[in-house]
Amino acid sequence: MHRLYLVPTLIINFVIVLVPALLTVVLAFCNWDGISTPTFSGLDNFRALFADGVFWSALTNNIIWTCIFLVVPIAMGLLAASMLLLVRRGSNFFQVVYFLPVVIATVITARVWQGMIYSPVTGLFGLLSRMGLPLANPLAQPSTALFGVATVDLWHWWGFLCVIFFAALRQVPQEHIEAARIEGANYGQMMRYVLLPAIRPTIMLMMIMTVIWSFLAFDFVYILTQGGPAFSSEVLSTLAYRHAFYDLNVGQAAAAALVISLFGLVGTFFYVRLQTQEGEQ
Amino acid sequence: MRMVESRATLTISYIVLGIGAFIALFPIALLVLNSLKPAALIVQNPLALPNPIRWENFVNAWNHAKFSKTFINSLLLSGTTIVLVCSTSSLSAYVLARRKIASWKIWTFYLLATTTAPIQLYIFPLYFGFAKLGLINNVFGVALIYTALYSPFAVMLLRTYFIAVPKELEEAALIDGATHWQVFSKVMLPIVSPGILTVALIIGLNSWNEFLIAATFLQKADKVTAVIGFYLLSGQYSSDWGEIMAAALIIVVPVVVLFVAMQKRFIEGMAGGSVKG
């Protein structure tokens, strides 16, 4: 009888995720505009994709994005979380403030940064350049567009990591911290020899998730720059989306989706292993 | 940390934390400040205080973003998703947590793996399938997608709540003659109800804020969610940034109020699945 309990979850999952995912694998080897009958085209989609310079720059952007997010928000989160552990008084207030950007919809966050900060007309950057500090809108320059978008996602994201690291740090046994303190450890030594090793599994998990999420990054790129200017901020997910819904080249979109999934798969392997290790105990 | 910190350490810590708070709050402050100003004043100086306050921004935003329609759509979508996720996931989480079936390991693996599956892996065939079935612009169709998208997370979180319930409770109920269904619905569910509330809050927040799927599957202006209504308003129809920020504030305020009121649950739920001991 108990196996029936799983049925609703699995039916919904199969219909929405599994079956379409398998169809995507098939479509990657087909020529399809979304309307007519798909025709088998072998590796054509992949050939076209790999011959497209935009694909390689999108892939490079995903890798740059991953590197940024593996370092900056994790460092910010760890620094703030360790400070929260130190001060204790007010830590809850700061935690809630840091988490606020996480609960605000991505569209709203994107528009606030676009209009109120980056805009040369209505934003802070415009005000500062009128006052003589030349600040160009980063989203309008091919060389800075990706970083302009990444900054917005960083603002939206680092508080989440801080809250998670703080939760992990609070579970570090008190005796370990006291012992290090009696030995005369300073902040740096405390971090390096006691706190960081103690929350290593959590940091590992967050790094794996960062790699997976970095290849899924979509909302901010799509809303802020649509991948532009001149594809300079294009990432794989916006490239796939554009192929499917703007060019009606669903086969090639499916091929790009498979490339994204391939990177995700490596992360997923480590993620599942880490998560189930804990389940075994 | 239970030891006494030196004054200097504390001061530096508070300065760092203060800078963090400033970074987090500055764009939000700009959002609130400029929602109260006419567009001309924003062009002059986005940092200036609103003087006089322009309350019409909110009326215009409400009308132009069709919030009286789109808020209902958002509530319907979030509500349906919450009900679907909580009912199906609590069943699955119970079975997987208690290892009631031999194949529990495979399904746990499978659900864990789908939490990390990119949306692009299934959205394209799904879209054209939905189009064939006439499910585009259907809020309940989107609720079904959200349910598939969020239930692996919900199952994993609820699983930890079920694992924490002592086995003896279940056994006692069975000895007393309860059926398996009664054990689940009358004994287990009430105990894990705090977990279900946490899941409901996080799923509600996610479906309220979701962009990619809502923007793809809901296209008619009177079928979109509040967030997509805002996206359309700010993208095409309006260049009045006072009005755009007012619309943003209208969507953000209920979320922030709920978050601050239920902060413990939100943070525990979000961190719960991620902290590894």
Side-chain angles (χ1 to χ4, degrees):
Chain A
M1 278 312 282
H2 276 124
R3 70 186 64 232
L4 287 180
Y5 286 26
L6 268 179
V7 169
T9 302
L10 291 181
I11 286 185
I12 296 175
N13 190 287
F14 287 170
V15 171
I16 303 290
V17 179
L18 187 64
V19 174
L22 294 175
L23 283 174
T24 302
V25 177
V26 176
L27 282 173
F29 300 95
C30 291
N31 199 345
W32 193 41
D33 56 8
I35 304 149
S36 56
T37 318
T39 50
F40 181 76
S41 63
L43 290 171
D44 281 4
N45 288 323
F46 292 95
R47 262 184 229 119
L49 201 63
F50 297 152
D52 183 4
V54 177
F55 167 79
W56 293 107
S57 68
L59 183 62
T60 312
N61 282 344
N62 270 121
I63 292 168
I64 296 173
W65 189 279
T66 310
C67 294
I68 295 173
F69 278 80
L70 276 176
V71 177
V72 183
I74 289 181
M76 284 171 82
L78 279 173
L79 179 69
S82 63
M83 296 286 167
L84 287 176
L85 197 67
L86 275 175
V87 302
R88 296 183 62 224
R89 182 180 284 176
S91 63
N92 198 50
F93 165 78
F94 285 111
Q95 182 172 237
V96 169
V97 168
Y98 296 164
F99 209 75
L100 277 178
V102 182
V103 303
I104 295 177
T106 50
V107 183
I108 290 171
T109 298
R111 290 291 185 234
V112 170
W113 277 81
Q114 199 172 25
M116 299 293 105
I117 293 174
Y118 288 155
S119 164
V121 183
T122 54
L124 183 68
F125 277 34
L127 180 73
L128 289 175
S129 39
R130 284 197 294 279
M131 287 163 60
L133 190 72
L135 272 176
N137 178 0
L139 301 178
Q141 317 290 326
S143 56
T144 53
L146 185 72
F147 301 102
V149 178
T151 305
V152 181
D153 204 350
L154 280 175
W155 179 79
H156 159 80
W157 187 235
W158 75 278
F160 176 82
L161 293 174
C162 172
V163 164
I164 286 185
F165 291 144
F166 183 45
L169 282 174
R170 273 181 304 183
Q171 291 179 4
V172 177
Q174 208 60 52
E175 306 85 70
H176 296 189
I177 298 171
E178 305 254 350
R181 187 44 60 120
I182 290 165
E183 308 263 328
N186 61 27
Y187 170 79
Q189 289 163 330
M190 179 76 82
M191 278 302 263
R192 193 166 157 210
Y193 297 110
V194 183
L195 298 178
L196 288 183
I199 64 165
R200 220 181 84 110
T202 303
I203 299 175
M204 275 298 294
L205 179 69
M206 284 302 113
M207 292 183 107
I208 294 171
M209 293 314 285
T210 300
V211 174
I212 296 173
W213 284 324
S214 294
F215 279 87
L216 307 185
F218 179 87
D219 288 16
F220 288 114
V221 178
Y222 184 80
I223 299 163
L224 287 171
T225 64
Q226 302 258 324
F231 304 115
S232 58
S233 60
E234 189 91 277
V235 288
L236 289 175
S237 62
T238 52
L239 176 104
Y241 195 85
R242 193 162 48 76
H243 277 316
F245 295 122
Y246 291 71
D247 310 340
L248 288 179
N249 191 345
V250 185
Q252 207 163 316
L258 285 196
V259 176
I260 299 173
S261 308
L262 209 66
F263 283 96
L265 211 62
V266 181
T268 305
F269 172 75
F270 288 105
Y271 170 71
V272 170
R273 227 177 63 168
L274 202 68
Q275 287 287 41
T276 42
Q277 263 169 9
E278 164 235 22
E280 299 293 306
Q281 287 158 13
Chain B
M1 257 184 260
R2 214 158 283 281
M3 62 285 190
V4 184
E5 296 299 334
S6 75
R7 193 153 282 272
T9 319
L10 272 182
T11 313
I12 294 169
S13 303
Y14 275 119
I15 290 173
V16 172
L17 291 172
I19 294 172
F22 178 79
I23 293 172
L25 289 177
F26 180 68
I28 300 175
L30 280 178
L31 157 64
V32 177
L33 197 63
N34 289 300
S35 70
L36 300 165
K37 297 200 294 207
L41 218 65
I42 300 176
V43 175
Q44 259 175 39
N45 182 355
L47 294 177
L49 290 174
N51 186 30
I53 291 178
R54 191 176 141 90
W55 297 108
E56 296 101 285
N57 280 347
F58 291 92
V59 181
N60 293 341
W62 184 271
N63 292 331
H64 291 158
K66 298 198 174 69
F67 276 151
S68 47
K69 270 239 165 66
T70 53
F71 258 72
I72 303 280
N73 292 340
S74 277
L75 286 173
L76 220 63
L77 177 54
S78 303
T80 314
T81 308
I82 289 171
V83 171
L84 279 173
V85 169
C86 287
S87 53
T88 60
S89 298
S90 54
L91 284 169
S92 301
Y94 170 64
V95 173
L96 295 180
R98 282 292 191 243
R99 305 181 179 180
K100 292 282 183 194
I101 54 172
S103 53
W104 67 272
K105 220 172 190 171
I106 299 168
W107 296 120
T108 311
F109 260 67
Y110 174 76
L111 289 175
L112 269 176
T114 53
T115 50
T116 61
I119 292 174
Q120 273 78 10
L121 184 60
Y122 50 89
I123 193 176
F124 307 127
L126 194 62
Y127 176 83
F128 293 103
F130 265 46
K132 261 225 163 93
L133 297 169
L135 283 170
I136 305 294
N137 290 319
N138 186 324
V139 171
F140 298 102
V142 176
L144 212 58
I145 304 179
Y146 285 177
T147 305
L149 195 62
Y150 301 142
S151 47
F153 159 79
V155 172
M156 291 309 144
L157 189 60
L158 284 175
R159 204 177 66 114
T160 61
Y161 283 86
F162 278 112
I163 288 174
V165 181
K167 274 216 162 74
E168 292 76 24
L169 271 175
E170 223 179 323
E171 284 155 9
L174 283 173
I175 290 168
D176 287 345
T179 63
H180 284 292
W181 175 254
Q182 282 169 331
V183 169
F184 171 72
S185 60
K186 298 270 162 60
V187 179
M188 300 300 274
L189 272 192
I191 300 177
V192 300
S193 56
I196 294 179
L197 181 61
T198 304
V199 166
L201 283 171
I202 292 170
I203 301 304
L205 175 76
N206 285 346
S207 16
W208 184 267
N209 285 344
E210 204 278 337
F211 174 73
L212 171 55
I213 289 169
T216 308
F217 287 81
L218 303 172
Q219 296 158 346
K220 264 211 208 118
D222 61 332
K223 297 289 184 196
V224 299
T225 61
V227 161
I228 304 300
F230 169 80
Y231 174 65
L232 296 175
L233 174 88
S234 57
Q236 301 159 357
Y237 305 133
S238 174
S239 54
D240 179 344
W241 278 93
E243 186 185 321
I244 294 172
M245 288 301 109
L249 198 61
I250 293 173
I251 299 176
V252 164
V253 162
V255 172
V256 168
V257 167
L258 194 68
F259 165 66
V260 172
M262 312 285 262
Q263 38 172 293
K264 278 238 162 64
R265 282 196 183 288
F266 268 108
I267 289 175
E268 265 173 33
M270 295 266 209
S274 306
V275 175
K276 294 275 138 281

